[in-house]
Amino acid sequence: MYFPFNEDSLQLIIIPHYDHWLQKGTHYDRIHPRGGSWFDHKTPPINIYLWRNRKGKIVKAYNTAVDSAHIDGMQIGLRSTDYINRTDFSSLGLELRDFSEFNRCFKFYGENNKVGLVDIKGNILVSAGFDNIQRLWSSYGASNILLVEKDGKIGLLDSDLKELFPPVFTEYPECIGHYIKVVKNKKCGLIDEKGTMLIDLVYDEVKPIHDSLYIGLIYQDSSELEKLRLNTHWNWGYKVKDCTVFSKDFKVITELKNYEYIYYWGIKRFIVKRNNQFGVLNHKGETIIPLAYDELSVDNGYYLAYKDCKCGLIDMKGKLVLPIEFESVEFYEKAIYVTQNELIGVYNDQFRLIAEPQFKEKKWEMGTYILIRQNGSRGYVVHLKTKCPYYESPEGKRIEL
């Protein structure tokens, strides 16, 4: 690929996939491997970048090992017509991945296979002192941040290739929303794309929650974690002993400390456990449900609360909507099936009692729950999509759910 002479009277010449030329193979063979092929497909291809003056003398030369065959999941085949004079760089990003990935720069290898970046004039913008350079990606696509790796640690460059952090991070940074989670010596924090430290590197985990709030979590001792994994209701809440809640501008709202369990569920709600009793706090640390239950879990948007082997339902505001007097509670569409003293009863989803607990058995058949009494008489809860759901008692009385 030949480009026009620039204002410094230098012409850029690019030889894509130079290693293909050396192997006397084709680009097509390289990106469409076949059984028994003579190429080493796992080795990234090499591009050569040359700058020559008007006398034809090569004044600058670099090579890269960035794969230019795959860009964002697309395969780009270089045709013979691509090796003619180019008049602009508009489509270059589609053919040379490093050009688009590194802010219109080329990745090159210097001494000892160290990596740096040069611009389209051949000027070195990032010296070849890193083991690798790559872009940080997020769920929104490519970010403006470049990652530089050296001796097993990660640093960050901004969109102008200025150093935000030298290689000090021990794990790959991760985009969380519009911010970046960084980890150093197993402790993580949060920064923005300008490199401002928003949450200090003191937490075992950082997570976003509702309304652009964030939480920083401190885990239990590892020895305790091994015991907790034996719990049948294992989830990440059992890892956590301390939780700090941060506002949108990353000021501390509250700190939840010295709990046996902290689990975020609902809108700004935390299920917590202390002294073997469960309760619920909001994001300000205010009590929504007191620490008075043997177990709390979540079902269909409500808290399923257990006390003395009985359960009931509490809503998100802390109101008891179904008394703590049942052996089991089961949601199905607009019906709630409860078991009390081994008898099945029915509520609707507004917690209105539809049928007292009186049935010994419940069977599903063609969109209908059949409820059977001890004497064999039957009631029905009809869940057909074509009809408004209703309950029909063994005596024939019908009640809409």
Side-chain angles (χ1 to χ4, degrees):
M1 297 179 183
Y2 297 85
F3 293 84
F5 283 91
N6 60 31
E7 61 271 22
D8 298 325
S9 294
L10 294 178
Q11 181 184 35
L12 170 61
I13 303 171
I14 301 177
I15 307 175
H17 294 265
Y18 177 68
D19 53 335
H20 297 185
W21 296 55
L22 294 177
Q23 294 167 331
K24 295 182 174 60
T26 68
H27 176 70
Y28 183 88
D29 286 322
R30 187 60 179 240
I31 65 173
H32 297 86
R34 301 166 298 176
S37 174
W38 51 88
F39 295 112
D40 179 9
H41 306 295
K42 294 182 180 180
T43 303
I46 295 173
N47 303 319
I48 301 295
Y49 305 114
L50 306 173
W51 281 264
R52 68 177 179 183
N53 59 25
R54 293 188 181 276
K55 295 181 179 180
K57 182 179 179 180
I58 302 298
V59 295
K60 298 178 182 179
Y62 301 99
N63 74 80
T64 178
V66 173
D67 186 351
S68 62
H70 297 81
I71 295 89
D72 297 341
M74 297 185 294
Q75 287 191 335
I76 306 297
L78 299 181
R79 306 175 302 278
S80 60
T81 53
D82 290 316
Y83 293 90
I84 61 176
N85 287 341
R86 302 299 297 266
T87 58
D88 60 57
F89 292 86
S90 59
S91 63
L92 186 56
L94 292 177
E95 296 169 1
L96 295 167
R97 178 176 172 179
D98 52 345
F99 185 76
S100 59
E101 184 170 355
F102 302 120
N103 302 338
R104 296 176 64 85
C105 294
F106 301 113
K107 177 179 173 181
F108 76 97
Y109 282 73
E111 295 182 1
N112 300 318
N113 282 331
K114 297 297 183 181
V115 179
L117 296 176
V118 295
D119 63 14
I120 58 175
K121 296 182 179 180
N123 300 316
I124 295 178
L125 301 182
V126 177
S127 298
F130 300 103
D131 299 322
N132 192 24
I133 300 177
Q134 60 180 295
R135 183 170 292 283
L136 175 64
W137 290 82
S138 72
S139 57
Y140 301 103
S143 74
N144 293 322
I145 299 298
L146 296 182
L147 306 179
V148 292
E149 303 176 35
K150 186 175 183 179
D151 299 330
K153 296 185 178 181
I154 315 297
L156 286 82
L157 306 180
D158 67 12
S159 57
D160 296 322
L161 306 182
K162 295 180 181 178
E163 184 179 81
L164 298 178
F165 289 92
V168 294
F169 301 118
T170 50
E171 295 181 20
Y172 278 97
E174 174 188 350
C175 288
I176 301 180
H178 299 288
Y179 302 103
I180 304 166
K181 183 175 78 174
V182 290
V183 181
K184 183 179 181 181
N185 299 326
K186 297 185 178 181
K187 293 296 181 180
C188 64
L190 204 68
I191 64 172
D192 61 18
E193 289 198 347
K194 296 180 180 179
T196 304
M197 187 66 70
L198 305 173
I199 297 179
D200 290 335
L201 291 157
V202 296
Y203 297 98
D204 295 311
E205 182 60 279
V206 172
K207 293 176 176 286
I209 58 174
H210 289 84
D211 293 340
S212 301
L213 306 183
Y214 282 80
I215 54 176
L217 306 177
I218 300 293
Y219 290 161
Q220 308 279 359
D221 293 338
S222 58
S223 58
E224 292 298 316
L225 284 179
E226 291 303 319
K227 298 177 185 178
L228 290 170
R229 285 192 178 94
L230 300 177
N231 190 297
T232 55
H233 299 288
W234 168 257
N235 58 44
W236 66 260
Y238 280 99
K239 295 181 180 181
V240 183
K241 68 173 182 177
D242 300 336
C243 173
T244 302
V245 183
F246 294 91
S247 65
K248 296 178 181 179
D249 54 359
F250 297 99
K251 294 180 180 178
V252 174
I253 296 176
T254 190
E255 293 181 294
L256 312 179
K257 287 185 172 292
N258 299 316
Y259 285 90
E260 299 158 19
Y261 173 99
I262 302 175
Y263 186 73
Y264 182 76
W265 189 91
I267 301 176
K268 301 178 183 177
R269 296 291 188 268
F270 296 87
I271 299 176
V272 296
K273 178 184 179 184
R274 180 179 282 163
N275 297 326
N276 290 321
Q277 294 290 291
F278 285 87
V280 176
L281 307 176
N282 68 10
H283 68 294
K284 297 179 181 179
E286 299 166 339
T287 298
I288 304 300
I289 300 174
L291 288 160
Y293 296 94
D294 300 330
E295 188 173 341
L296 274 176
S297 58
V298 179
D299 194 349
N300 212 56
Y302 294 89
Y303 294 106
L304 184 59
Y306 288 83
K307 183 74 173 177
D308 298 328
C309 298
K310 301 293 184 181
C311 66
L313 293 174
I314 303 174
D315 69 13
M316 291 289 293
K317 295 182 179 179
K319 179 182 177 182
L320 183 67
V321 293
L322 204 62
I324 313 293
E325 56 187 38
F326 303 105
E327 287 97 59
S328 68
V329 175
E330 176 190 348
F331 286 88
Y332 187 83
E333 295 183 349
K334 289 185 173 294
I336 303 173
Y337 297 93
V338 298
T339 303
Q340 187 177 42
N341 299 323
E342 299 184 356
L343 296 176
I344 300 167
V346 183
Y347 285 79
N348 70 3
D349 60 358
Q350 299 302 309
F351 308 104
R352 178 167 61 93
L353 181 63
I354 303 299
E356 293 279 357
Q358 58 189 285
F359 301 99
K360 291 292 290 183
E361 190 177 353
K362 175 165 63 78
K363 292 183 178 180
W364 177 258
E365 185 175 305
M366 300 295 290
T368 299
Y369 270 119
I370 302 172
L371 307 175
I372 306 172
R373 286 176 176 165
Q374 183 71 42
N375 62 9
S377 59
R378 298 186 174 198
Y380 304 90
V381 181
V382 179
H383 290 282
L384 295 175
K385 301 295 183 183
T386 56
K387 296 182 179 180
C388 180
Y390 63 89
Y391 163 74
E392 185 175 309
S393 72
E395 293 73 33
K397 183 180 179 180
R398 182 175 293 190
I399 302 174
E400 288 189 359
L401 298 182

